[in-house]
Amino acid sequence: MRLATAVVCLGLLLAAPFAEASTVRYTVKNRRIEPNQPMAVALQEAGLPPEQVGALISALEGVFDFRKSRVGDQFRLVMREGELDFFDYRQSTVDEWQVRRDGDKYVGSKRSIEVEKQVGLVSLEINNSLYEAALAAGEDPIIGMVLADVFAWDIDFYRDVRRGDRARALVEKFVSKGRILRYGEVLAATYEGESVGTKRVFRYELPDGKASFFQEDGASARKAFLKSPLKYAHVTSRFGSRVHPVLKYVKAHNGVDYAAAIGTPVWAVADGTVTVAHNTGAGGNTVCLRHTNGFETCYLHLSKYGSGVRAGSRVSQKQVIAYSGNTGRSTGPHLHYALKRNGGYVNPLNQNFPRTEPLPKNLLADFRAKVAPLAQQLDAVSVASASSQP
C-alpha cells in the first residue's frame, strides 16, 4: 500500500536585506516496500531519478545491505527542487537508517535510538487467557511467553490456568520513547492459581556466572522434566485406548497429542541424547531423546528438525529440537509426545518429577539478602491489591 505524497512550500528569506522572499519547493514522499520489489525499483517508482538512486544506495554501502529489505519496510524521500535532500528508511522502532545531503555528496548512517532499561512490575489477572490478561494490563502479549518460560517446570499454561488466577513479576523492560521494545530477565515472579496453588521464584546468579530460578527457601525451581514440550498447548488426545482417527479401530494411544500450528517450536523436556532424528513412517518426522534414570521421550509428526539435532548429539532442557508439523499418519497439524520409563510407555500428564539440586548452604545467606527486596516489592503489590477490595 502506498502512502500519500505531500508537497510542502516553505518560504526561505534570502540573505540580502530587503530582498523579496523566495519559495523553495519540497516534496515529501512516504512509501512501503511491496512484494517482489527491489529497493532500486521502489526508489525509481517513487520518482527518484536513476542517478540519485545509485548515489543513495552508495551512501549506505557498508551501513545497510538493501538485500535485507523486507516487505512492509517504510521509507521517506524529501526532495528539494526535484533533487534528493533527505532519505529515511525504517524496519522497526530501533532499526532506522538515514541519508542526508552534505554539499555535493550524500552521507549515510544508522540512526541512534536511545533505549533505556527499566525494572517494572507486571501484574496480571486472568479472566480468559494469559494473552488477553496481558493486553488488559497494557503489556505486550509476549510477556505470557516469558512467564510460561519461568514457570515451565510447574505450570502447563493451557491445562492448569483457571479464571481468577493471578500472576506478578518484576521484569526488565527495554523502553524507547515510552514504548516497550522487549522484555529482559524476570527477576522474581509469583503465580497464584486455583489448580496449582502459589508458585514463587527468584532469579539468582551462581558463582560460575550462570543464573537459575530458586524458591524462597533456596530449593531449585527447576525439575528434571518440564510439564510440556510446548509453551502453550491444547491437549486433543490423552494417554490410553482410543478409536484411531485414521485406522478406525480401538488402539492404544501411547502418548499425548497437542494441537499446534505447523512450525511451532518444540523444546526438549529434559537434558538428553538424541537417539532418533528421521522419518519413522506412520510417526512422520520424529525425534527421540534418551534421558537419565531410564527415561526416553519421543516427538512425532514434525515439520523439521532443530539446528544440530541428529542421532548422537546432546541437547539441553528447553532447547528447540524441532518444529511441529503434519507428517506421517496424521489427520491435521499436531504434536504427538510420548514418554517411556525403562522401555514401557507411561502417561506424561501424571508424572511428578523431583526438583534439581537446591542452592548450596554457603550461598543461602547471599541469596536471601538479594531476594529480600524483590520479595518485598511483590508483597507490597499483593497488600495494596487486598486493601483496595471493598
Side-chain angles (χ1 to χ4, degrees), residues 159-176:
R159 295 193 310 123
D160 296 336
V161 174
R162 301 289 185 273
R163 183 184 296 273
D165 287 3
R166 295 174 181 270
R168 297 189 303 278
L170 291 170
V171 61
E172 295 173 343
K173 297 180 179 182
F174 292 87
V175 179
S176 177

PDB file of all heavy atoms in Angstrom, residues 159-176:
ATOM      1  N   ARG A 159      -3.422 -26.268  30.399  1.00  0.00           N
ATOM      2  CA  ARG A 159      -4.255 -27.141  31.241  1.00  0.00           C
ATOM      3  C   ARG A 159      -4.463 -26.599  32.653  1.00  0.00           C
ATOM      4  O   ARG A 159      -5.499 -26.841  33.272  1.00  0.00           O
ATOM      5  CB  ARG A 159      -3.606 -28.534  31.352  1.00  0.00           C
ATOM      6  CG  ARG A 159      -3.538 -29.292  30.038  1.00  0.00           C
ATOM      7  CD  ARG A 159      -3.190 -30.754  30.272  1.00  0.00           C
ATOM      8  NE  ARG A 159      -2.030 -30.922  31.131  1.00  0.00           N
ATOM      9  CZ  ARG A 159      -2.021 -31.618  32.265  1.00  0.00           C
ATOM     10  NH1 ARG A 159      -3.111 -32.212  32.692  1.00  0.00           N
ATOM     11  NH2 ARG A 159      -0.913 -31.726  32.985  1.00  0.00           N
ATOM     12  N   ASP A 160      -3.483 -25.871  33.194  1.00  0.00           N
ATOM     13  CA  ASP A 160      -3.512 -25.531  34.615  1.00  0.00           C
ATOM     14  C   ASP A 160      -4.106 -24.166  34.938  1.00  0.00           C
ATOM     15  O   ASP A 160      -4.340 -23.853  36.106  1.00  0.00           O
ATOM     16  CB  ASP A 160      -2.080 -25.594  35.191  1.00  0.00           C
ATOM     17  CG  ASP A 160      -1.493 -26.989  35.132  1.00  0.00           C
ATOM     18  OD1 ASP A 160      -2.280 -27.957  35.091  1.00  0.00           O
ATOM     19  OD2 ASP A 160      -0.258 -27.120  35.123  1.00  0.00           O
ATOM     20  N   VAL A 161      -4.313 -23.324  33.951  1.00  0.00           N
ATOM     21  CA  VAL A 161      -4.789 -21.960  34.196  1.00  0.00           C
ATOM     22  C   VAL A 161      -6.306 -21.944  34.418  1.00  0.00           C
ATOM     23  O   VAL A 161      -7.054 -22.608  33.709  1.00  0.00           O
ATOM     24  CB  VAL A 161      -4.408 -21.039  33.023  1.00  0.00           C
ATOM     25  CG1 VAL A 161      -5.025 -19.656  33.193  1.00  0.00           C
ATOM     26  CG2 VAL A 161      -2.892 -20.930  32.909  1.00  0.00           C
ATOM     27  N   ARG A 162      -6.736 -21.173  35.431  1.00  0.00           N
ATOM     28  CA  ARG A 162      -8.156 -21.039  35.752  1.00  0.00           C
ATOM     29  C   ARG A 162      -8.533 -19.555  35.822  1.00  0.00           C
ATOM     30  O   ARG A 162      -7.696 -18.696  36.108  1.00  0.00           O
ATOM     31  CB  ARG A 162      -8.475 -21.699  37.109  1.00  0.00           C
ATOM     32  CG  ARG A 162      -8.139 -23.183  37.183  1.00  0.00           C
ATOM     33  CD  ARG A 162      -9.088 -24.031  36.356  1.00  0.00           C
ATOM     34  NE  ARG A 162      -8.824 -25.453  36.532  1.00  0.00           N
ATOM     35  CZ  ARG A 162      -7.940 -26.153  35.821  1.00  0.00           C
ATOM     36  NH1 ARG A 162      -7.231 -25.542  34.872  1.00  0.00           N
ATOM     37  NH2 ARG A 162      -7.758 -27.439  36.044  1.00  0.00           N
ATOM     38  N   ARG A 163      -9.813 -19.279  35.589  1.00  0.00           N
ATOM     39  CA  ARG A 163     -10.307 -17.906  35.700  1.00  0.00           C
ATOM     40  C   ARG A 163     -10.075 -17.387  37.122  1.00  0.00           C
ATOM     41  O   ARG A 163     -10.369 -18.067  38.107  1.00  0.00           O
ATOM     42  CB  ARG A 163     -11.799 -17.857  35.377  1.00  0.00           C
ATOM     43  CG  ARG A 163     -12.403 -16.446  35.389  1.00  0.00           C
ATOM     44  CD  ARG A 163     -13.909 -16.507  35.161  1.00  0.00           C
ATOM     45  NE  ARG A 163     -14.214 -17.026  33.832  1.00  0.00           N
ATOM     46  CZ  ARG A 163     -14.295 -16.277  32.740  1.00  0.00           C
ATOM     47  NH1 ARG A 163     -14.096 -14.970  32.825  1.00  0.00           N
ATOM     48  NH2 ARG A 163     -14.583 -16.824  31.577  1.00  0.00           N
ATOM     49  N   GLY A 164      -9.532 -16.189  37.226  1.00  0.00           N
ATOM     50  CA  GLY A 164      -9.253 -15.595  38.526  1.00  0.00           C
ATOM     51  C   GLY A 164      -7.831 -15.798  39.008  1.00  0.00           C
ATOM     52  O   GLY A 164      -7.426 -15.211  40.021  1.00  0.00           O
ATOM     53  N   ASP A 165      -7.040 -16.627  38.313  1.00  0.00           N
ATOM     54  CA  ASP A 165      -5.629 -16.791  38.674  1.00  0.00           C
ATOM     55  C   ASP A 165      -4.913 -15.451  38.518  1.00  0.00           C
ATOM     56  O   ASP A 165      -5.285 -14.611  37.682  1.00  0.00           O
ATOM     57  CB  ASP A 165      -4.948 -17.828  37.777  1.00  0.00           C
ATOM     58  CG  ASP A 165      -5.368 -19.258  38.098  1.00  0.00           C
ATOM     59  OD1 ASP A 165      -6.230 -19.438  38.984  1.00  0.00           O
ATOM     60  OD2 ASP A 165      -4.831 -20.187  37.457  1.00  0.00           O
ATOM     61  N   ARG A 166      -3.868 -15.259  39.317  1.00  0.00           N
ATOM     62  CA  ARG A 166      -3.116 -14.006  39.264  1.00  0.00           C
ATOM     63  C   ARG A 166      -1.629 -14.294  39.079  1.00  0.00           C
ATOM     64  O   ARG A 166      -1.108 -15.270  39.625  1.00  0.00           O
ATOM     65  CB  ARG A 166      -3.306 -13.186  40.557  1.00  0.00           C
ATOM     66  CG  ARG A 166      -4.732 -12.692  40.769  1.00  0.00           C
ATOM     67  CD  ARG A 166      -4.863 -12.018  42.128  1.00  0.00           C
ATOM     68  NE  ARG A 166      -6.211 -11.553  42.374  1.00  0.00           N
ATOM     69  CZ  ARG A 166      -6.662 -10.348  42.053  1.00  0.00           C
ATOM     70  NH1 ARG A 166      -5.851  -9.484  41.457  1.00  0.00           N
ATOM     71  NH2 ARG A 166      -7.903  -9.993  42.312  1.00  0.00           N
ATOM     72  N   ALA A 167      -0.962 -13.416  38.333  1.00  0.00           N
ATOM     73  CA  ALA A 167       0.483 -13.525  38.136  1.00  0.00           C
ATOM     74  C   ALA A 167       1.105 -12.146  38.330  1.00  0.00           C
ATOM     75  O   ALA A 167       0.546 -11.134  37.894  1.00  0.00           O
ATOM     76  CB  ALA A 167       0.794 -14.056  36.742  1.00  0.00           C
ATOM     77  N   ARG A 168       2.243 -12.110  39.009  1.00  0.00           N
ATOM     78  CA  ARG A 168       3.003 -10.876  39.181  1.00  0.00           C
ATOM     79  C   ARG A 168       4.467 -11.173  38.913  1.00  0.00           C
ATOM     80  O   ARG A 168       4.969 -12.242  39.272  1.00  0.00           O
ATOM     81  CB  ARG A 168       2.850 -10.316  40.601  1.00  0.00           C
ATOM     82  CG  ARG A 168       1.429  -9.919  40.971  1.00  0.00           C
ATOM     83  CD  ARG A 168       1.395  -9.175  42.311  1.00  0.00           C
ATOM     84  NE  ARG A 168       1.980  -9.952  43.390  1.00  0.00           N
ATOM     85  CZ  ARG A 168       1.350 -10.906  44.063  1.00  0.00           C
ATOM     86  NH1 ARG A 168       0.092 -11.217  43.731  1.00  0.00           N
ATOM     87  NH2 ARG A 168       1.938 -11.550  45.045  1.00  0.00           N
ATOM     88  N   ALA A 169       5.138 -10.213  38.312  1.00  0.00           N
ATOM     89  CA  ALA A 169       6.551 -10.420  38.001  1.00  0.00           C
ATOM     90  C   ALA A 169       7.292  -9.094  37.990  1.00  0.00           C
ATOM     91  O   ALA A 169       6.772  -8.080  37.520  1.00  0.00           O
ATOM     92  CB  ALA A 169       6.706 -11.117  36.657  1.00  0.00           C
ATOM     93  N   LEU A 170       8.497  -9.110  38.535  1.00  0.00           N
ATOM     94  CA  LEU A 170       9.423  -7.999  38.388  1.00  0.00           C
ATOM     95  C   LEU A 170      10.310  -8.352  37.198  1.00  0.00           C
ATOM     96  O   LEU A 170      11.026  -9.359  37.218  1.00  0.00           O
ATOM     97  CB  LEU A 170      10.272  -7.818  39.653  1.00  0.00           C
ATOM     98  CG  LEU A 170       9.524  -7.312  40.881  1.00  0.00           C
ATOM     99  CD1 LEU A 170      10.414  -7.417  42.112  1.00  0.00           C
ATOM    100  CD2 LEU A 170       9.089  -5.868  40.667  1.00  0.00           C
ATOM    101  N   VAL A 171      10.252  -7.521  36.167  1.00  0.00           N
ATOM    102  CA  VAL A 171      10.916  -7.888  34.917  1.00  0.00           C
ATOM    103  C   VAL A 171      11.620  -6.678  34.307  1.00  0.00           C
ATOM    104  O   VAL A 171      11.179  -5.544  34.463  1.00  0.00           O
ATOM    105  CB  VAL A 171       9.878  -8.473  33.926  1.00  0.00           C
ATOM    106  CG1 VAL A 171       8.806  -7.452  33.596  1.00  0.00           C
ATOM    107  CG2 VAL A 171      10.545  -8.971  32.656  1.00  0.00           C
ATOM    108  N   GLU A 172      12.742  -6.944  33.657  1.00  0.00           N
ATOM    109  CA  GLU A 172      13.444  -5.888  32.944  1.00  0.00           C
ATOM    110  C   GLU A 172      12.655  -5.522  31.688  1.00  0.00           C
ATOM    111  O   GLU A 172      12.175  -6.391  30.971  1.00  0.00           O
ATOM    112  CB  GLU A 172      14.841  -6.357  32.544  1.00  0.00           C
ATOM    113  CG  GLU A 172      15.754  -6.635  33.714  1.00  0.00           C
ATOM    114  CD  GLU A 172      17.070  -7.247  33.284  1.00  0.00           C
ATOM    115  OE1 GLU A 172      17.158  -7.759  32.142  1.00  0.00           O
ATOM    116  OE2 GLU A 172      18.017  -7.237  34.085  1.00  0.00           O
ATOM    117  N   LYS A 173      12.533  -4.216  31.458  1.00  0.00           N
ATOM    118  CA  LYS A 173      11.858  -3.733  30.258  1.00  0.00           C
ATOM    119  C   LYS A 173      12.806  -2.797  29.519  1.00  0.00           C
ATOM    120  O   LYS A 173      13.380  -1.885  30.116  1.00  0.00           O
ATOM    121  CB  LYS A 173      10.573  -2.973  30.610  1.00  0.00           C
ATOM    122  CG  LYS A 173       9.506  -3.802  31.293  1.00  0.00           C
ATOM    123  CD  LYS A 173       8.280  -2.962  31.591  1.00  0.00           C
ATOM    124  CE  LYS A 173       7.172  -3.781  32.254  1.00  0.00           C
ATOM    125  NZ  LYS A 173       5.956  -2.962  32.512  1.00  0.00           N
ATOM    126  N   PHE A 174      12.977  -3.027  28.224  1.00  0.00           N
ATOM    127  CA  PHE A 174      13.787  -2.143  27.397  1.00  0.00           C
ATOM    128  C   PHE A 174      12.831  -1.220  26.656  1.00  0.00           C
ATOM    129  O   PHE A 174      12.006  -1.657  25.852  1.00  0.00           O
ATOM    130  CB  PHE A 174      14.646  -2.962  26.440  1.00  0.00           C
ATOM    131  CG  PHE A 174      15.722  -3.747  27.152  1.00  0.00           C
ATOM    132  CD1 PHE A 174      15.463  -5.010  27.658  1.00  0.00           C
ATOM    133  CD2 PHE A 174      16.975  -3.192  27.361  1.00  0.00           C
ATOM    134  CE1 PHE A 174      16.442  -5.721  28.339  1.00  0.00           C
ATOM    135  CE2 PHE A 174      17.960  -3.893  28.041  1.00  0.00           C
ATOM    136  CZ  PHE A 174      17.701  -5.159  28.529  1.00  0.00           C
ATOM    137  N   VAL A 175      12.953   0.081  26.972  1.00  0.00           N
ATOM    138  CA  VAL A 175      11.966   1.071  26.549  1.00  0.00           C
ATOM    139  C   VAL A 175      12.614   2.144  25.682  1.00  0.00           C
ATOM    140  O   VAL A 175      13.737   2.596  25.961  1.00  0.00           O
ATOM    141  CB  VAL A 175      11.304   1.720  27.782  1.00  0.00           C
ATOM    142  CG1 VAL A 175      10.284   2.767  27.369  1.00  0.00           C
ATOM    143  CG2 VAL A 175      10.654   0.660  28.662  1.00  0.00           C
ATOM    144  N   SER A 176      11.924   2.544  24.624  1.00  0.00           N
ATOM    145  CA  SER A 176      12.354   3.661  23.789  1.00  0.00           C
ATOM    146  C   SER A 176      11.153   4.553  23.524  1.00  0.00           C
ATOM    147  O   SER A 176      10.113   4.081  23.050  1.00  0.00           O
ATOM    148  CB  SER A 176      12.939   3.152  22.466  1.00  0.00           C
ATOM    149  OG  SER A 176      13.295   4.240  21.629  1.00  0.00           O
TER     150      SER A 176
END
